[in-house]
Short mmCIF file of all heavy atoms in Angstrom, two decimals:
data_model
loop_
_atom_site.label_atom_id
_atom_site.label_comp_id
_atom_site.label_asym_id
_atom_site.label_seq_id
_atom_site.Cartn_x
_atom_site.Cartn_y
_atom_site.Cartn_z
N GLY A 19 9.54 20.59 -12.72
CA GLY A 19 10.55 19.70 -12.17
C GLY A 19 10.49 19.59 -10.66
O GLY A 19 10.56 18.49 -10.09
N GLY A 20 10.33 20.73 -9.98
CA GLY A 20 10.20 20.69 -8.52
C GLY A 20 8.95 19.97 -8.07
O GLY A 20 8.93 19.29 -7.04
N PHE A 21 7.89 20.10 -8.85
CA PHE A 21 6.63 19.43 -8.54
C PHE A 21 6.75 17.92 -8.72
O PHE A 21 6.36 17.14 -7.83
CB PHE A 21 5.55 20.00 -9.46
CG PHE A 21 4.18 19.40 -9.28
CD1 PHE A 21 3.29 19.94 -8.37
CD2 PHE A 21 3.79 18.29 -10.02
CE1 PHE A 21 2.03 19.39 -8.20
CE2 PHE A 21 2.53 17.74 -9.86
CZ PHE A 21 1.64 18.29 -8.95
N LYS A 22 7.30 17.48 -9.86
CA LYS A 22 7.33 16.06 -10.19
C LYS A 22 8.18 15.25 -9.21
O LYS A 22 7.86 14.10 -8.93
CB LYS A 22 7.87 15.86 -11.62
CG LYS A 22 6.90 16.26 -12.70
CD LYS A 22 5.66 15.38 -12.69
CE LYS A 22 5.96 13.95 -13.08
NZ LYS A 22 4.74 13.10 -13.05
N ALA A 23 9.26 15.83 -8.72
CA ALA A 23 10.14 15.08 -7.82
C ALA A 23 9.45 14.72 -6.51
O ALA A 23 9.84 13.75 -5.85
CB ALA A 23 11.40 15.89 -7.53
N ASN A 24 8.44 15.49 -6.14
CA ASN A 24 7.87 15.35 -4.80
C ASN A 24 6.43 14.87 -4.76
O ASN A 24 5.99 14.34 -3.73
CB ASN A 24 7.98 16.71 -4.08
CG ASN A 24 9.41 17.12 -3.85
OD1 ASN A 24 10.12 16.51 -3.05
ND2 ASN A 24 9.86 18.13 -4.58
N ILE A 25 5.69 15.04 -5.85
CA ILE A 25 4.29 14.63 -5.82
C ILE A 25 4.16 13.11 -5.77
O ILE A 25 3.27 12.57 -5.11
CB ILE A 25 3.53 15.22 -7.03
CG1 ILE A 25 2.02 15.14 -6.81
CG2 ILE A 25 3.94 14.56 -8.32
CD1 ILE A 25 1.49 16.08 -5.76
N SER A 26 5.05 12.39 -6.47
CA SER A 26 4.97 10.92 -6.47
C SER A 26 5.26 10.32 -5.10
O SER A 26 4.51 9.44 -4.64
CB SER A 26 5.91 10.34 -7.53
OG SER A 26 5.54 10.77 -8.82
N PRO A 27 6.33 10.74 -4.40
CA PRO A 27 6.51 10.23 -3.04
C PRO A 27 5.39 10.64 -2.08
O PRO A 27 5.00 9.88 -1.20
CB PRO A 27 7.86 10.82 -2.60
CG PRO A 27 8.56 11.16 -3.86
CD PRO A 27 7.48 11.56 -4.82
N LEU A 28 4.86 11.87 -2.27
CA LEU A 28 3.82 12.35 -1.36
C LEU A 28 2.57 11.48 -1.45
O LEU A 28 1.94 11.17 -0.43
CB LEU A 28 3.46 13.80 -1.68
CG LEU A 28 2.42 14.45 -0.76
CD1 LEU A 28 2.97 14.58 0.66
CD2 LEU A 28 1.99 15.82 -1.29
N VAL A 29 2.19 11.06 -2.66
CA VAL A 29 0.97 10.26 -2.80
C VAL A 29 1.14 8.90 -2.15
O VAL A 29 0.21 8.38 -1.51
CB VAL A 29 0.57 10.11 -4.29
CG1 VAL A 29 1.52 9.20 -5.05
CG2 VAL A 29 -0.87 9.60 -4.41
N ALA A 30 2.32 8.30 -2.25
CA ALA A 30 2.53 6.96 -1.68
C ALA A 30 2.69 7.01 -0.17
O ALA A 30 2.28 6.06 0.53
CB ALA A 30 3.74 6.29 -2.31
N GLU A 31 3.28 8.08 0.37
CA GLU A 31 3.49 8.11 1.81
C GLU A 31 2.22 8.45 2.59
O GLU A 31 2.23 8.47 3.81
CB GLU A 31 4.62 9.07 2.17
CG GLU A 31 4.32 10.54 2.01
CD GLU A 31 5.53 11.41 2.34
OE1 GLU A 31 6.61 10.84 2.58
OE2 GLU A 31 5.39 12.65 2.35
N GLN A 32 1.11 8.66 1.88
CA GLN A 32 -0.17 8.77 2.57
C GLN A 32 -0.57 7.43 3.18
O GLN A 32 -1.40 7.37 4.08
CB GLN A 32 -1.26 9.26 1.61
CG GLN A 32 -0.99 10.61 0.97
CD GLN A 32 -0.65 11.69 1.97
OE1 GLN A 32 -1.44 11.99 2.88
NE2 GLN A 32 0.53 12.27 1.85
N TYR A 33 0.01 6.36 2.65
CA TYR A 33 -0.19 5.02 3.23
C TYR A 33 1.02 4.71 4.11
O TYR A 33 2.16 4.75 3.65
CB TYR A 33 -0.31 3.98 2.11
CG TYR A 33 -0.43 2.56 2.63
CD1 TYR A 33 -1.61 2.12 3.22
CD2 TYR A 33 0.64 1.68 2.55
CE1 TYR A 33 -1.73 0.83 3.69
CE2 TYR A 33 0.54 0.39 3.02
CZ TYR A 33 -0.65 -0.04 3.59
OH TYR A 33 -0.76 -1.31 4.08
N ARG A 34 0.80 4.37 5.38
CA ARG A 34 1.89 4.32 6.35
C ARG A 34 2.30 2.92 6.78
O ARG A 34 3.34 2.76 7.42
CB ARG A 34 1.50 5.12 7.61
CG ARG A 34 1.12 6.56 7.33
CD ARG A 34 2.26 7.34 6.70
NE ARG A 34 3.28 7.67 7.69
CZ ARG A 34 4.42 8.30 7.39
NH1 ARG A 34 4.68 8.63 6.17
NH2 ARG A 34 5.30 8.56 8.35
N ARG A 35 1.51 1.90 6.50
CA ARG A 35 1.90 0.55 6.93
C ARG A 35 3.12 0.11 6.14
O ARG A 35 3.18 0.27 4.92
CB ARG A 35 0.75 -0.44 6.74
CG ARG A 35 1.05 -1.82 7.30
CD ARG A 35 -0.18 -2.73 7.19
NE ARG A 35 -1.25 -2.26 8.07
CZ ARG A 35 -1.32 -2.54 9.37
NH1 ARG A 35 -0.37 -3.26 9.95
NH2 ARG A 35 -2.32 -2.10 10.09
N THR A 36 4.11 -0.48 6.81
CA THR A 36 5.37 -0.83 6.15
C THR A 36 5.73 -2.30 6.25
O THR A 36 6.61 -2.76 5.51
CB THR A 36 6.53 -0.02 6.77
OG1 THR A 36 6.63 -0.32 8.16
CG2 THR A 36 6.32 1.47 6.55
N LYS A 37 5.09 -3.07 7.13
CA LYS A 37 5.50 -4.46 7.32
C LYS A 37 4.40 -5.43 6.89
O LYS A 37 3.22 -5.13 6.95
CB LYS A 37 5.87 -4.71 8.78
CG LYS A 37 4.74 -4.48 9.77
CD LYS A 37 5.19 -4.70 11.21
CE LYS A 37 5.53 -6.16 11.45
NZ LYS A 37 5.83 -6.41 12.89
N LEU A 38 4.82 -6.58 6.43
CA LEU A 38 3.89 -7.65 6.09
C LEU A 38 3.12 -8.07 7.34
O LEU A 38 3.70 -8.15 8.42
CB LEU A 38 4.63 -8.86 5.51
CG LEU A 38 5.40 -8.66 4.21
CD1 LEU A 38 6.19 -9.92 3.88
CD2 LEU A 38 4.46 -8.31 3.08
N SER A 39 1.84 -8.33 7.18
CA SER A 39 1.01 -8.78 8.30
C SER A 39 0.07 -9.87 7.83
O SER A 39 -0.33 -9.90 6.67
CB SER A 39 0.19 -7.62 8.87
OG SER A 39 1.03 -6.58 9.30
N VAL A 40 -0.27 -10.77 8.74
CA VAL A 40 -1.18 -11.87 8.42
C VAL A 40 -2.53 -11.58 9.05
O VAL A 40 -2.62 -11.14 10.20
CB VAL A 40 -0.64 -13.21 8.95
CG1 VAL A 40 -1.61 -14.34 8.64
CG2 VAL A 40 0.73 -13.50 8.34
N THR A 41 -3.59 -11.81 8.29
CA THR A 41 -4.94 -11.65 8.82
C THR A 41 -5.84 -12.72 8.21
O THR A 41 -5.45 -13.44 7.30
CB THR A 41 -5.51 -10.25 8.50
OG1 THR A 41 -6.71 -10.05 9.23
CG2 THR A 41 -5.78 -10.09 7.02
N THR A 42 -7.06 -12.80 8.72
CA THR A 42 -8.03 -13.77 8.23
C THR A 42 -9.20 -13.04 7.61
O THR A 42 -9.79 -12.15 8.24
CB THR A 42 -8.53 -14.67 9.38
OG1 THR A 42 -7.41 -15.33 9.97
CG2 THR A 42 -9.52 -15.71 8.85
N LEU A 43 -9.54 -13.39 6.38
CA LEU A 43 -10.67 -12.77 5.70
C LEU A 43 -11.98 -13.27 6.28
O LEU A 43 -12.03 -14.25 7.02
CB LEU A 43 -10.63 -13.09 4.20
CG LEU A 43 -9.39 -12.66 3.42
CD1 LEU A 43 -9.54 -13.04 1.97
CD2 LEU A 43 -9.14 -11.18 3.56
N GLN A 44 -13.05 -12.59 5.94
CA GLN A 44 -14.38 -13.01 6.39
C GLN A 44 -14.74 -14.38 5.84
O GLN A 44 -15.59 -15.08 6.40
CB GLN A 44 -15.41 -11.97 5.97
CG GLN A 44 -15.25 -10.63 6.68
CD GLN A 44 -16.24 -9.59 6.21
OE1 GLN A 44 -16.99 -9.82 5.27
NE2 GLN A 44 -16.26 -8.44 6.87
N THR A 45 -14.11 -14.77 4.73
CA THR A 45 -14.34 -16.10 4.15
C THR A 45 -13.60 -17.19 4.91
O THR A 45 -13.77 -18.37 4.62
CB THR A 45 -13.90 -16.12 2.69
OG1 THR A 45 -12.50 -15.82 2.61
CG2 THR A 45 -14.68 -15.10 1.86
N GLY A 46 -12.72 -16.81 5.86
CA GLY A 46 -11.93 -17.78 6.60
C GLY A 46 -10.54 -17.99 6.05
O GLY A 46 -9.73 -18.71 6.65
N GLU A 47 -10.25 -17.36 4.90
CA GLU A 47 -8.92 -17.52 4.30
C GLU A 47 -7.90 -16.64 5.00
O GLU A 47 -8.15 -15.46 5.25
CB GLU A 47 -8.98 -17.16 2.82
CG GLU A 47 -7.63 -17.28 2.11
CD GLU A 47 -7.67 -16.72 0.70
OE1 GLU A 47 -8.74 -16.24 0.27
OE2 GLU A 47 -6.61 -16.74 0.03
N ARG A 48 -6.75 -17.23 5.36
CA ARG A 48 -5.64 -16.45 5.92
C ARG A 48 -4.81 -15.87 4.77
O ARG A 48 -4.44 -16.59 3.83
CB ARG A 48 -4.76 -17.32 6.81
CG ARG A 48 -5.39 -17.61 8.17
CD ARG A 48 -4.63 -18.65 8.94
NE ARG A 48 -3.21 -18.33 9.09
CZ ARG A 48 -2.71 -17.46 9.97
NH1 ARG A 48 -3.54 -16.84 10.80
NH2 ARG A 48 -1.42 -17.26 10.06
N VAL A 49 -4.56 -14.57 4.85
CA VAL A 49 -3.82 -13.89 3.79
C VAL A 49 -2.76 -12.98 4.40
O VAL A 49 -2.78 -12.68 5.61
CB VAL A 49 -4.75 -13.05 2.88
CG1 VAL A 49 -5.72 -13.93 2.12
CG2 VAL A 49 -5.49 -11.99 3.71
N ILE A 50 -1.85 -12.51 3.55
CA ILE A 50 -0.81 -11.56 3.97
C ILE A 50 -1.16 -10.19 3.42
O ILE A 50 -1.40 -10.03 2.22
CB ILE A 50 0.57 -12.00 3.46
CG1 ILE A 50 0.99 -13.32 4.10
CG2 ILE A 50 1.61 -10.92 3.73
CD1 ILE A 50 2.29 -13.87 3.55
N ILE A 51 -1.20 -9.19 4.30
CA ILE A 51 -1.35 -7.80 3.88
C ILE A 51 0.03 -7.32 3.44
O ILE A 51 0.95 -7.22 4.25
CB ILE A 51 -1.87 -6.90 5.01
CG1 ILE A 51 -3.13 -7.49 5.63
CG2 ILE A 51 -2.12 -5.48 4.50
CD1 ILE A 51 -4.26 -7.63 4.66
N ASP A 52 0.20 -7.04 2.16
CA ASP A 52 1.50 -6.70 1.60
C ASP A 52 1.56 -5.21 1.25
O ASP A 52 0.91 -4.77 0.30
CB ASP A 52 1.76 -7.54 0.34
CG ASP A 52 3.20 -7.44 -0.13
OD1 ASP A 52 3.88 -6.49 0.25
OD2 ASP A 52 3.63 -8.33 -0.89
N PRO A 53 2.34 -4.40 1.99
CA PRO A 53 2.45 -2.97 1.67
C PRO A 53 3.00 -2.72 0.28
O PRO A 53 2.67 -1.71 -0.35
CB PRO A 53 3.40 -2.45 2.75
CG PRO A 53 3.27 -3.41 3.88
CD PRO A 53 3.05 -4.74 3.23
N ALA A 54 3.85 -3.63 -0.23
CA ALA A 54 4.40 -3.44 -1.58
C ALA A 54 3.29 -3.51 -2.63
O ALA A 54 3.28 -2.74 -3.59
CB ALA A 54 5.47 -4.50 -1.86
N LEU A 55 2.34 -4.43 -2.45
CA LEU A 55 1.21 -4.52 -3.37
C LEU A 55 0.32 -3.28 -3.25
O LEU A 55 -0.22 -2.79 -4.25
CB LEU A 55 0.38 -5.77 -3.09
CG LEU A 55 1.00 -7.12 -3.49
CD1 LEU A 55 0.03 -8.25 -3.18
CD2 LEU A 55 1.38 -7.12 -4.96
N THR A 56 0.18 -2.77 -2.04
CA THR A 56 -0.61 -1.56 -1.85
C THR A 56 0.04 -0.38 -2.56
O THR A 56 -0.63 0.41 -3.23
CB THR A 56 -0.75 -1.24 -0.35
OG1 THR A 56 -1.24 -2.39 0.33
CG2 THR A 56 -1.71 -0.09 -0.14
N THR A 57 1.36 -0.26 -2.43
CA THR A 57 2.08 0.82 -3.11
C THR A 57 1.96 0.68 -4.62
O THR A 57 1.76 1.67 -5.33
CB THR A 57 3.56 0.80 -2.71
OG1 THR A 57 3.67 0.97 -1.29
CG2 THR A 57 4.33 1.93 -3.40
N ALA A 58 2.05 -0.56 -5.11
CA ALA A 58 1.90 -0.78 -6.55
C ALA A 58 0.53 -0.33 -7.03
O ALA A 58 0.40 0.32 -8.08
CB ALA A 58 2.12 -2.26 -6.87
N ARG A 59 -0.50 -0.65 -6.27
CA ARG A 59 -1.86 -0.25 -6.68
C ARG A 59 -2.02 1.26 -6.58
O ARG A 59 -2.65 1.88 -7.44
CB ARG A 59 -2.90 -0.96 -5.81
CG ARG A 59 -4.32 -0.47 -6.07
CD ARG A 59 -5.36 -1.38 -5.48
NE ARG A 59 -5.69 -2.45 -6.41
CZ ARG A 59 -6.67 -3.34 -6.18
NH1 ARG A 59 -7.34 -3.29 -5.05
NH2 ARG A 59 -6.94 -4.26 -7.06
N ILE A 60 -1.46 1.89 -5.54
CA ILE A 60 -1.53 3.34 -5.43
C ILE A 60 -0.95 3.99 -6.68
O ILE A 60 -1.54 4.92 -7.26
CB ILE A 60 -0.79 3.83 -4.17
CG1 ILE A 60 -1.60 3.51 -2.91
CG2 ILE A 60 -0.53 5.34 -4.23
CD1 ILE A 60 -0.86 3.80 -1.62
N TYR A 61 0.20 3.50 -7.12
CA TYR A 61 0.84 4.12 -8.28
C TYR A 61 0.10 3.79 -9.57
O TYR A 61 0.12 4.60 -10.52
CB TYR A 61 2.31 3.70 -8.37
CG TYR A 61 3.19 4.57 -7.51
CD1 TYR A 61 3.98 4.03 -6.50
CD2 TYR A 61 3.21 5.95 -7.68
CE1 TYR A 61 4.77 4.83 -5.70
CE2 TYR A 61 3.99 6.76 -6.88
CZ TYR A 61 4.77 6.20 -5.90
OH TYR A 61 5.54 7.01 -5.10
N MET A 62 -0.56 2.66 -9.67
CA MET A 62 -1.35 2.37 -10.86
C MET A 62 -2.48 3.39 -11.00
O MET A 62 -2.72 3.92 -12.09
CB MET A 62 -1.91 0.96 -10.81
CG MET A 62 -0.87 -0.13 -11.02
SD MET A 62 -1.59 -1.77 -11.25
CE MET A 62 -2.26 -1.60 -12.90
N TYR A 63 -3.17 3.69 -9.90
CA TYR A 63 -4.27 4.63 -9.99
C TYR A 63 -3.79 6.07 -9.99
O TYR A 63 -4.46 6.95 -10.54
CB TYR A 63 -5.29 4.34 -8.88
CG TYR A 63 -6.03 3.07 -9.19
CD1 TYR A 63 -5.62 1.85 -8.68
CD2 TYR A 63 -7.09 3.08 -10.08
CE1 TYR A 63 -6.27 0.68 -9.02
CE2 TYR A 63 -7.74 1.92 -10.43
CZ TYR A 63 -7.32 0.72 -9.90
OH TYR A 63 -7.96 -0.44 -10.27
#
């Protein structure tokens, strides 16, 4: 119980970006870097 409460937040907080950001891919496409999507993928894996 003590382990489970803390291991899940610990794995996600290894990623520190918190705000949406806009960047341009090498293909020229402008996209939004979404921390929520990153967190979702972290938890999937």
Side-chain angles (χ1 to χ4, degrees):
F21 179 89
K22 287 296 293 179
N24 295 291
I25 196 71
S26 298
L28 183 66
V29 71
E31 71 182 6
Q32 301 308 301
Y33 176 74
R34 304 299 285 177
R35 186 175 293 277
T36 60
K37 61 182 293 186
L38 298 174
S39 302
V40 179
T41 190
T42 302
L43 301 181
Q44 293 177 354
T45 60
E47 179 188 0
R48 284 170 54 79
V49 295
I50 295 175
I51 308 299
D52 192 340
L55 288 182
T56 308
T57 301
R59 173 166 273 185
I60 286 173
Y61 276 122
M62 288 190 73
Y63 288 95

